[in-house]
Amino acid sequence: GAVVSQHPSRVICKSGTSVKIECRSLDFQATTMFWYRQFPKKSLMLMATSNEGSKATYEQGVEKDKFLINHASLTLSTLTVTSAHPEDSSFYICSARDLDRVIGTSGSYEQFFGPGTRLTVL
Amino acid sequence: GENVEQHPSTLSVQEGDSAVIKCTYSDSASNYFPWYKQELGKRPQLIIDIRSNVGEKKDQRIAVTLNKTAKHFSLHITETQPEDSAVYFCAAKSGEYGNKLVFGAGTILRVKS
């Protein structure tokens, strides 16, 4: 099956610093990747849709200047949490769409999730 | 936009019994409904999905039913096993031409042996 990796798996940083998280599709090309945030015992909240070669589309309430997304290639998207604060501590998960796995006629493409990155801001 | 509600939030069943989790969605244009299983600290894994042109789909002990008129879909797990214990999320693809998934709040399933 399709594999999505994330790096780092865990990161602890001081308040005010920036943290970059990488999401890679290892064995397929992904024109679209999604970034989610998940609080403990909560659901996945979509933060933004990352499109290769164009600007990301942010969900309502997500600060684009704080959560910088760059989708520089068909296999890599990065999320940078700028000037991190303790309230940014969370589990960040990316997912990627596999162009070759079209699901019937729905127009959907199967999404594969990365293992997540646990961010702790002190 | 799409809104997905999921019930119950927690579900405890005895090993061997069945478990049912229900979700409703608001956007009548949504046409793809996956279910994910997430173990603690791990990534969500797709376990089954259904498209709007199908009413029911089954894969061994897992089945999903969809009622487009009522805009609800359900996950059914039969002969539950302790390894089924996890958090389960339903999701709906937002809009006819959208490509993003909107997730339900999740159900913590505990299978007691």
Side-chain angles (χ1 to χ4, degrees):
Chain A
V3 179
V4 175
S5 70
Q6 264 182 258
H7 178 79
S9 57
R10 292 177 179 271
V11 57
I12 301 172
C13 68
K14 292 182 179 179
S15 187
T17 61
S18 295
V19 175
K20 179 185 282 188
I21 303 170
E22 294 185 347
C23 177
R24 293 181 184 274
S25 56
L26 298 185
D27 53 358
F28 66 98
Q29 293 183 326
T31 55
T32 304
M33 293 183 175
F34 304 90
W35 286 97
Y36 296 85
R37 184 173 180 177
Q38 187 176 33
F39 290 105
K41 298 183 180 180
K42 296 293 184 183
S43 188
L44 291 91
M45 300 300 297
L46 181 65
M47 299 174 64
T49 302
S50 172
N51 301 296
E52 186 266 336
S54 64
K55 290 183 179 180
T57 304
Y58 289 82
E59 294 300 301
Q60 192 173 8
V62 178
E63 299 176 59
K64 57 184 69 178
D65 293 332
K66 180 167 183 62
F67 298 99
L68 301 178
I69 291 172
N70 183 27
H71 195 149
S73 75
L74 285 172
T75 59
L76 173 63
S77 175
T78 60
L79 168 68
T80 301
V81 183
T82 62
S83 187
H85 291 284
E87 57 265 31
D88 297 324
S89 299
S90 189
F91 193 51
Y92 293 87
I93 309 179
C94 70
S95 72
R97 255 170 43 170
D98 185 342
L99 292 174
D100 293 329
R101 293 174 187 256
V102 178
I103 302 173
T105 57
S106 70
S108 292
Y109 299 85
E110 185 170 354
Q111 286 188 32
F112 296 89
F113 284 86
T117 297
R118 175 75 60 193
L119 170 63
T120 302
V121 184
L122 303 175
Chain B
E2 177 66 277
N3 181 49
V4 178
E5 297 200 355
Q6 184 171 346
H7 299 280
S9 56
T10 59
L11 178 61
S12 290
V13 299
Q14 203 65 36
E15 182 178 359
D17 288 350
S18 295
V20 180
I21 303 170
K22 299 182 180 182
C23 287
T24 60
Y25 61 98
S26 61
D27 187 350
S28 56
S30 290
N31 56 7
Y32 172 62
F33 308 93
W35 285 89
Y36 289 88
K37 175 183 179 182
Q38 186 180 29
E39 298 178 3
L40 188 64
K42 298 193 176 180
R43 75 186 82 193
Q45 299 273 14
L46 179 70
I47 55 172
I48 196 166
D49 55 22
I50 192 167
R51 289 170 280 143
S52 58
N53 60 348
V54 176
E56 184 175 358
K57 183 176 178 181
K58 191 173 181 180
D59 183 4
Q60 298 183 330
R61 297 187 297 110
I62 295 173
V64 56
T65 58
L66 171 65
N67 183 327
K68 283 176 58 180
T69 304
K71 288 188 280 188
H72 68 69
F73 55 113
S74 300
L75 176 71
H76 304 253
I77 306 174
T78 58
E79 300 172 28
T80 54
Q81 301 167 3
E83 50 265 38
D84 294 330
S85 297
V87 181
Y88 291 81
F89 294 99
C90 63
K93 183 172 77 73
S94 176
E96 187 172 0
Y97 300 107
N99 60 11
K100 62 183 182 182
L101 293 176
V102 177
F103 284 83
T107 297
I108 300 172
L109 174 64
R110 295 192 183 94
V111 180
K112 297 175 286 187
S113 56

